[in-house]
Amino acid sequence: KEPEEIDLTLDDERKFIHNQNESKQNIMLLGFVDGEYVGNCSLMGMEQGRYHHRVSLGIALYQKYTGCGIGKAMIGKLIEIAREHQFEQIELEVVADNQRAIALYKKMGFEIFGTFPNNMKYKDGTYADAYWMMKRL
């Protein structure tokens, strides 16, 4: 989905980026092409001690920039950073019918470990399942 189809306002996006910048366990990469913002990719660490070895990955690109290698480059950089910070696994959720993203994640070493039925509910009342994927570092 295009970012404007997701129920976020520009103010919500600014708050999210600000919180990422202020966090001690999170990192966010912003993507730009010729000075134009194209999306972001982030790692979000878990605060509780028994989960410190895990980190979640999130990515959002404008549709017209998918398939250009931008997402692959950002994910690759965050995998490097996760290793440098001695995380042991990276996790993510992906909509089950997003075959392009799933293929990319698999190519980068992620595996599907489970399905979340009705994980997302869209404005029109329909639901989408999501896969839980993980990569051991």
Side-chain angles (χ1 to χ4, degrees):
K1 291 211 177 276
E2 288 285 334
E4 59 269 8
E5 291 182 46
I6 301 168
D7 295 327
L8 290 178
T9 66
L10 185 56
D11 196 42
D12 291 333
E13 190 74 10
R14 283 188 179 120
K15 287 177 188 172
F16 177 73
I17 292 169
H18 173 77
N19 289 340
Q20 289 292 92
N21 285 339
E22 295 299 313
S23 171
K24 289 183 174 37
Q25 63 260 22
N26 298 348
I27 185 167
M28 174 180 272
L29 301 179
L30 302 178
F32 293 88
V33 173
D34 297 326
E36 181 181 352
Y37 175 73
V38 300
N40 64 71
C41 191
S42 60
L43 288 178
M44 292 154 280
M46 300 184 187
E47 292 184 27
Q48 295 172 313
R50 68 179 87 171
Y51 302 114
H52 274 224
H53 66 291
R54 299 167 53 196
V55 66
S56 294
L57 184 137
I59 184 166
L61 289 178
Y62 284 102
Q63 191 67 40
K64 73 179 188 176
Y65 292 103
T66 62
C68 300
I70 297 167
K72 181 178 181 181
M74 288 198 293
I75 292 168
K77 183 63 179 175
L78 287 180
I79 289 170
E80 285 178 34
I81 291 169
R83 283 190 173 117
E84 289 170 8
H85 287 86
Q86 300 177 344
F87 287 106
E88 297 174 29
Q89 67 189 48
I90 300 177
E91 305 163 8
L92 61 86
E93 288 181 27
V94 60
V95 177
D97 65 0
N98 190 344
Q99 294 305 313
R100 276 177 86 180
I102 293 165
L104 172 62
Y105 299 143
K106 285 183 175 180
K107 194 182 302 184
M108 298 191 81
F110 288 84
E111 296 177 59
I112 295 172
F113 283 90
T115 303
F116 296 105
N118 297 329
N119 182 266
M120 298 176 201
K121 185 174 182 179
Y122 296 112
K123 288 180 182 180
D124 66 2
T126 61
Y127 294 89
D129 294 348
Y131 292 136
W132 179 71
M133 299 183 78
M134 190 262 291
K135 175 183 177 69
R136 303 268 309 143
L137 299 177

